[in-house]
Amino acid sequence: MQSAAQTLVIIGTGGTIAGASGSATDNVGYKAGSLSVNTLVAAVPALASRSLEAEQLAQLDSKDMDHATWARLARRVQAHLERPEVRGVVITHGTDTLEETAYLLQRVLAPRKPVVLTAAMRPATAIQADGPQNLLDAVAVAESEGVSGVVAVVAGQVWSGLELRKTHSYRLDAFEAGPDAGALAVVEEGVLRRFRDWPAGEALGVARLPAGGQAWPWVEVLGSHAGADARAIEAWRVAGLQGLVLACTGNGTLHEALEAPVRALKEAGVPVWRTTRCAQGRIVGASDEPGAALSPWAARVELMLRLLAD
Ligand code: ASP
């Protein structure tokens, strides 16, 4: 049955998709978050006939994404999804922290309606800007029957908000899904071809997120690497670190120089989660550990959400 809800809300947060450069041949020396979400929508003539509302929530380079913007975004998305006439929400975002925002929104909202993040690797001023097609594809996905949950649409592929990872610094198809997971679907000429289930799970609820710019738990990510030095962990412990995610080597191994400070941190009651710094795979033999199948960045979000429940 065709859904009665027809309106799509497009929320702009900045990113390269809204980036502008002085030269059309410059794909790297631009300012992210320069153009309004209305301008992005107007650049796609095929969207003119759609029932859309556009809203500018932020104008950030997503490398600078912050917790307060996350909380505002989650609350705005929830408010729109509760409107019966709203079919879904599309969010324009930078690629740099897209995976963190997507993970957070799926865990907090676990929406029944589609929440589709999209982005671009080239600024809007580029000769072959990828943003307009990505935005059109994102709208097509949000309008498709049966889509639910937080997904991201980039370069014709649809990724789970719980799985996507930026794995390329420059290519237009800069994302993959982990661990060892593929795209959920592809969008071809506005038509969705689905391979796997939409993201699901229980919503933790926006009430869990600190309101009004209040501090979030202090959780850091630390890589284990050749020549590892214990001083960073010790300094963080003294300064009041509340959680640590280790980006471990290989199958969850840690440099011996970090073992004692990690133990001291745990003894002080600070949760320490292991993840792998490998781009793919999980920590095999650690399925009871919450970070075992997450990227370090998703694990950091998950650990903050757990600490916010306490
Ligand atoms: N620095 C940009 C951002 O994340 C990169 C991009 O959008 O591709 O906002």
Side-chain angles (χ1 to χ4, degrees), residues 143-202:
E143 285 181 338
S144 299
E145 281 304 311
V147 182
S148 64
V150 178
V151 298
V153 174
V154 181
Q157 291 180 291
V158 186
W159 305 104
S160 164
L162 296 177
E163 297 172 346
L164 86 147
R165 299 168 179 195
K166 185 175 179 180
T167 55
H168 204 280
S169 59
Y170 185 74
R171 261 184 5 215
L172 302 191
D173 58 335
F175 290 88
E176 288 180 61
D180 308 307
L184 298 183
V186 289
V187 52
E188 299 160 327
E189 300 297 303
V191 177
L192 200 60
R193 189 155 56 93
R194 181 164 73 91
F195 310 130
R196 297 168 52 215
D197 290 342
W198 303 117
E202 218 169 287

Side-chain angles (χ1 to χ4, degrees), residues 43 57 65 74 78 80 89 95 100 102 104 177 199-200 203 213 220 231 254-255 268 287-288 291 295-296:
L57 182 113
M65 182 52 72
Q78 162 137 320
H80 285 304
V89 174
T95 59
E100 297 173 55
L104 177 92
E220 289 291 345
R231 283 175 295 183
L254 193 64
H255 194 289
S287 53
D288 55 332
S295 74

Side-chain angles (χ1 to χ4, degrees), residues 83-164:
R83 295 166 54 200
E85 73 278 20
V86 168
R87 182 185 187 91
V89 174
V90 170
I91 302 169
T92 58
H93 196 286
T95 59
D96 285 345
T97 55
L98 186 67
E99 65 204 72
E100 297 173 55
T101 301
Y103 188 91
L104 177 92
L105 292 177
Q106 174 60 31
R107 294 289 286 133
V108 169
L109 302 173
R112 299 267 159 79
K113 294 178 181 178
V115 173
V116 184
L117 290 117
T118 193
M121 291 297 287
R122 292 182 183 156
T125 47
I127 297 174
Q128 268 199 325
D130 51 333
Q133 183 69 53
N134 287 345
L135 180 57
L136 183 62
D137 288 349
V139 167
V141 171
E143 285 181 338
S144 299
E145 281 304 311
V147 182
S148 64
V150 178
V151 298
V153 174
V154 181
Q157 291 180 291
V158 186
W159 305 104
S160 164
L162 296 177
E163 297 172 346
L164 86 147

Side-chain angles (χ1 to χ4, degrees), residues 217-221 240-245 265 270-273 303 307:
W218 180 22
V219 177
E220 289 291 345
V221 176
L241 187 72
Q242 290 165 280
L244 180 65
V245 172
L265 210 55
V270 177
V272 180
W273 287 8
L303 179 48
L307 290 168

